[in-house]
C-alpha cells in the first residue's frame, strides 16, 4: 500500500494517461451517445456565442467609426458661433484660428433651409455656403464627386448636391435645380419667398443617406446674398487633427478668435446619438454573453452525467493507484477541451464573417430578394465591421474562463467519489 501511495505521489500532473482517458471520454460510444450529444451542443453553444459576440461588437464598432467619420467629415469638430455681434470679421477670425497648432481647417459657413425642386419632385434641403478652397479641403466631398466637377465653383452660379437628392429629383450634373427660401425680398406687401434656379455643377456621395439626401453646397458669396446676410456668416467650422483631444483645442481656439465666441464641439452636437449607440452596444454585449454562459452550463450538466456514468471506471482507477488529483484533471481536460475548441472555432468563424460581412450581406439580399441593410434606416450605404483586437481578446478570455470554471464542480465531484461505494452500487 505504501509503495502504491509513493508511486501515486510521483505521478506528474497532466500525465499522458490523463490525456488519453480524457480523449476517450470525448469520443463516446453508441450507448453513451446522449452524453456525446450534450457535449456537441455545449461545443456549438460556445462556438456560436463567441462568434456572435465578436461579430456584433465588430459591427457596433464599425457603425460608430463610420458614422463618426461621416459626421465629422462634413461637420467641424468645433463650431465657432458669434456672441454679442454678428460674425462680420469672419475672415480675420478664420485666419487666426487656422494658425493654431493642430487645426487642419477653419471654414466660414452660411447655413439655411430651403425647398429644392425640379420638374419631377421637391424636397427640403440644408443649403451650406462655403468657399471653394475650404470645400476642396473637405475630403469627404472632394474625393467623392460622382458626377460633374468642382472647378470654378466660386465663379459660377452652380451648386453641388448629394446623390440621393439628385436621384429623388431626377437630376444630373448640368441640370437645373430651383431653390425656394422662405425669406426673400422685402416688398410693400411683405416678405416674399426667394425663388432662384441654379445649375447642378457636381453630385457627391459620401455614403451617409441623411447627408446625401439633404445637403446642397453653394458658393459663400452667393449664399450670403441668397439668405440676406450682408457681410457675415452663420459660424466657422473648425476641423482638428484629433477629435478625441477636442478639450485641448477649446481654449486655444477661444483665445485665437480674438472676440466673444460660443464654442460647441462634436460631442455636444451629437451627444444623444452616440450615447444611444454606446448604451445599445453595452446591452448587446450583456445579452449575448448569456449565450456563452448557457453553453458553459451545458458543459456542467454534460460532465455531471459523464461522472455518474463513469463511476465504476473512476473506482477502478482509484484502486489501481490513481490519485484524486489525477481523476480531477481527467475531467478538467475533458470539459476544458470542449470550451477551448469551441472558443477557438468561434473566434475563427467570427473573424471570417467580419472580414467578409458586406459580401455576405449582398449574397443574403440576393438570395432573399430583399434589402437587408436599408440606407434610409441605418444611415450608411454598406454594412461596416471594425475589429477591435483588445475587445476580441477579452471575449475569448471570458469564454475560456467560463468554460474552465464550468468544469471545476463536476471534476471535484469525480475526485471525491468513494471507490468502495461506486463498486458496491454498480
Amino acid at each position: 500500500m505504501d509503495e502504491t501511495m509513493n508511486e501515486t505521489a510521483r505521478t506528474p500532473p497532466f500525465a499522458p494517461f490523463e490525456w488519453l482517458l480524457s480523449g476517450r471520454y470525448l469520443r463516446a460510444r453508441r450507448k453513451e451517445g446522449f452524453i456525446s450529444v450534450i457535449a456537441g451542443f455545449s461545443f456549438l453553444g460556445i462556438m456560436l456565442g463567441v462568434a456572435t459576440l465578436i461579430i456584433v461588437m465588430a459591427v457596433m464598432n464599425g457603425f460608430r467609426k463610420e458614422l463618426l467619420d461621416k459626421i465629422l467629415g462634413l461637420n467641424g469638430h468645433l463650431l465657432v458661433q458669434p456672441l454679442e455681434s454678428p460674425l462680420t470679421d469672419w475672415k480675420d477670425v478664420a485666419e487666426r484660428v487656422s494658425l493654431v497648432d493642430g487645426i487642419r481647417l477653419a471654414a466660414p459657413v452660411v447655413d439655411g433651409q430651403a425647398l429644392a425642386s425640379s420638374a419631377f419632385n421637391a424636397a427640403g434641403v440644408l443649403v451650406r455656403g462655403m468657399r471653394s478652397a475650404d470645400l476642396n479641403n473637405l475630403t469627404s466631398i472632394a474625393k467623392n464627386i460622382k458626377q460633374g466637377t468642382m472647378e470654378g465653383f466660386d465663379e459660377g452660379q452652380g451648386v453641388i448636391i448629394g446623390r440621393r437628392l439628385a436621384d429623388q429629383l431626377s437630376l444630373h450634373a448640368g441640370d437645373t435645380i430651383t431653390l425656394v427660401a422662405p425669406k426673400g425680398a422685402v416688398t410693400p406687401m411683405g416678405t416674399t419667398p426667394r425663388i432662384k434656379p441654379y445649375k447642378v455643377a457636381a453630385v457627391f456621395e459620401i455614403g451617409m443617406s441623411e447627408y446625401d439626401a439633404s445637403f446642397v453646397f453653394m458658393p459663400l458669396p452667393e449664399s450670403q446674398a441668397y439668405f440676406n446676410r450682408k457681410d457675415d456668416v452663420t459660424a466657422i467650422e473648425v476641423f482638428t487633427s484629433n477629435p478625441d483631444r477636442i478639450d485641448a483645442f477649446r481654449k486655444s481656439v477661444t483665445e485665437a478668435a480674438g472676440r466673444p465666441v460660443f464654442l460647441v464641439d462634436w460631442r455636444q452636437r451629437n451627444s444623444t446619438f452616440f450615447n444611444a449607440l454606446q448604451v445599445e452596444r453595452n446591452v448587446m454585449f450583456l445579452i449575448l454573453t448569456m449565450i456563452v454562459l448557457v453553453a458553459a452550463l451545458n458543459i456542467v450538466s454534460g460532465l455531471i452525467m459523464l461522472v455518474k456514468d463513469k463511476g465504476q471506471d473512476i473506482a477502478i482507477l482509484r484502486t489501481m493507484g490513481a490519485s484524486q488529483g489525477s481523476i480531477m484533471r481527467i475531467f478538467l481536460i475533458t470539459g476544458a477541451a470542449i470550451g477551448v475548441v469551441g472558443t477557438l472555432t468561434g473566434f475563427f468563424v467570427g473573424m471570417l464573417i467580419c472580414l467578409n460581412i458586406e459580401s455576405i450581406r449582398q449574397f443574403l439580399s440576393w438570395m432573399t430578394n430583399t434589402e437587408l441593410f436599408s440606407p434610409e434606416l441605418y444611415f450608411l450605404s454598406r454594412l461596416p465591421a471594425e475589429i477591435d483586437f483588445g475587445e476580441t481578446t477579452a471575449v475569448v478570455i471570458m469564454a475560456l474562463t467560463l468554460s474552465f470554471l464550468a468544469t471545476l464542480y463536476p471534476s471535484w465531484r469525480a475526485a471525491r467519489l468513494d471507490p468502495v461505494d461506486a463498486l458496491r452500487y454498480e
Side-chain angles (χ1 to χ4, degrees):
M1 185 67 179
D2 291 340
E3 290 181 2
T4 302
M5 292 181 64
N6 291 334
E7 187 66 29
T8 300
R10 289 195 296 271
T11 302
F14 298 104
F17 87 93
E18 297 172 3
W19 291 93
L20 182 67
L21 284 174
S22 298
R24 169 64 188 81
Y25 288 159
L26 284 171
R27 299 188 301 272
R29 289 175 295 186
R30 183 174 301 176
K31 67 177 184 177
E32 302 157 354
F34 185 63
I35 297 173
S36 181
V37 168
I38 293 177
F41 278 118
S42 302
F43 165 79
L44 286 176
I46 290 177
M47 181 196 74
L48 291 175
V50 170
T52 305
L53 258 175
I54 291 173
I55 295 167
V56 170
M57 292 296 102
V59 170
M60 296 295 287
N61 289 336
F63 260 115
R64 187 182 185 279
K65 182 179 183 299
E66 287 289 324
L67 288 172
L68 193 61
D69 289 344
K70 296 291 190 295
I71 291 172
L72 298 186
L74 203 59
N75 296 307
H77 307 158
L78 265 177
L79 184 67
V80 180
Q81 295 175 307
L83 279 179
E84 299 178 1
S85 61
L87 203 56
T88 53
D89 54 343
W90 53 270
K91 289 183 181 178
D92 296 331
V93 174
E95 186 176 353
R96 289 194 298 268
V97 170
S98 64
L99 295 177
V100 174
D101 188 33
I103 300 299
R104 291 193 296 109
L105 176 66
V109 298
V110 171
D111 285 337
Q113 292 181 332
L115 177 70
S117 64
S118 68
F120 306 97
N121 210 340
V125 295
L126 174 66
V127 179
R128 172 164 290 180
M130 292 186 70
R131 296 178 297 189
S132 177
D134 295 334
L135 197 56
N136 279 314
N137 284 325
L138 280 183
T139 55
S140 58
I141 300 295
K143 292 187 177 180
N144 290 290
I145 298 296
K146 302 303 180 182
Q147 297 178 21
T149 177
M150 292 175 59
E151 293 180 7
F153 178 67
D154 273 341
E155 300 169 4
Q157 297 289 307
V159 295
I160 300 174
I161 66 175
R163 178 68 176 268
R164 290 190 171 275
L165 179 62
D167 292 342
Q168 186 177 352
L169 302 182
S170 300
L171 295 174
H172 300 85
D175 293 343
T176 299
I177 184 173
T178 302
L179 297 180
V180 182
K183 293 183 180 181
V186 179
T187 68
M189 302 298 294
T191 302
T192 60
R194 173 164 283 137
I195 304 173
K196 190 170 182 179
Y198 291 95
K199 179 184 175 182
V200 178
V203 176
F204 69 88
E205 183 179 18
I206 65 172
M208 188 168 180
S209 61
E210 186 178 5
Y211 290 167
D212 290 339
S214 61
F215 264 83
V216 173
F217 288 94
M218 180 184 291
L220 185 61
E222 178 63 24
S223 64
Q224 289 175 317
Y226 187 76
F227 289 110
N228 294 330
R229 307 192 79 97
K230 293 181 180 179
D231 193 30
D232 69 317
V233 297
T234 307
I236 297 175
E237 297 274 7
V238 179
F239 295 82
T240 67
S241 57
N242 186 354
D244 292 326
R245 293 183 57 247
I246 199 66
D247 289 328
F249 292 108
R250 292 181 71 99
K251 183 178 179 182
S252 301
V253 170
T254 303
E255 293 175 351
R259 56 157 292 158
V261 292
F262 177 67
L263 300 184
V264 181
D265 63 48
W266 66 270
R267 297 169 304 183
Q268 295 169 312
R269 296 167 77 178
N270 306 281
S271 60
T272 303
F273 187 72
F274 285 107
N275 286 342
L277 273 181
Q278 186 63 34
V279 170
E280 183 180 2
R281 183 171 172 276
N282 293 338
V283 171
M284 289 296 292
F285 182 84
L286 291 175
I287 292 173
L288 294 173
T289 301
M290 296 297 113
I291 300 177
V292 182
L293 185 59
V294 169
L297 293 177
N298 283 339
I299 294 178
V300 175
S301 60
L303 282 180
I304 289 176
M305 293 185 65
L306 183 63
V307 169
K308 186 174 179 61
D309 184 69
K310 299 297 182 183
Q312 190 174 19
D313 293 3
I314 295 170
I316 293 173
L317 287 170
R318 289 298 310 281
T319 56
M320 292 176 64
S323 66
Q324 287 185 336
S326 292
I327 301 299
M328 187 172 183
R329 285 192 292 272
I330 289 170
F331 288 94
L332 274 176
I333 295 170
T334 304
I338 298 172
V340 170
V341 175
T343 299
L344 294 179
T345 306
F347 168 75
F348 288 116
V349 170
M351 294 292 286
L352 186 64
I353 292 177
C354 286
L355 295 174
N356 300 279
I357 195 162
E358 178 61 17
S359 301
I360 294 171
R361 181 195 71 83
Q362 293 176 0
F363 175 74
L364 292 176
S365 296
W366 175 76
M367 284 286 293
T368 59
N369 198 26
T370 57
E371 193 168 18
L372 297 179
F373 189 75
S374 175
E376 286 79 7
L377 295 177
Y378 299 101
F379 298 107
L380 303 177
S381 57
R382 56 180 292 274
L383 186 60
E386 180 75 15
I387 299 171
D388 185 326
F389 288 99
E391 198 171 65
T392 303
T393 303
V395 170
V396 171
I397 291 175
M398 178 199 68
L400 292 175
T401 302
L402 287 176
S403 302
F404 175 75
L405 292 176
T407 64
L408 292 179
Y409 176 71
S411 303
W412 178 79
R413 284 285 303 273
R416 298 283 295 174
L417 189 66
D418 187 353
V420 176
D421 291 339
L423 290 172
R424 179 184 300 166
Y425 294 111
E426 282 291 339

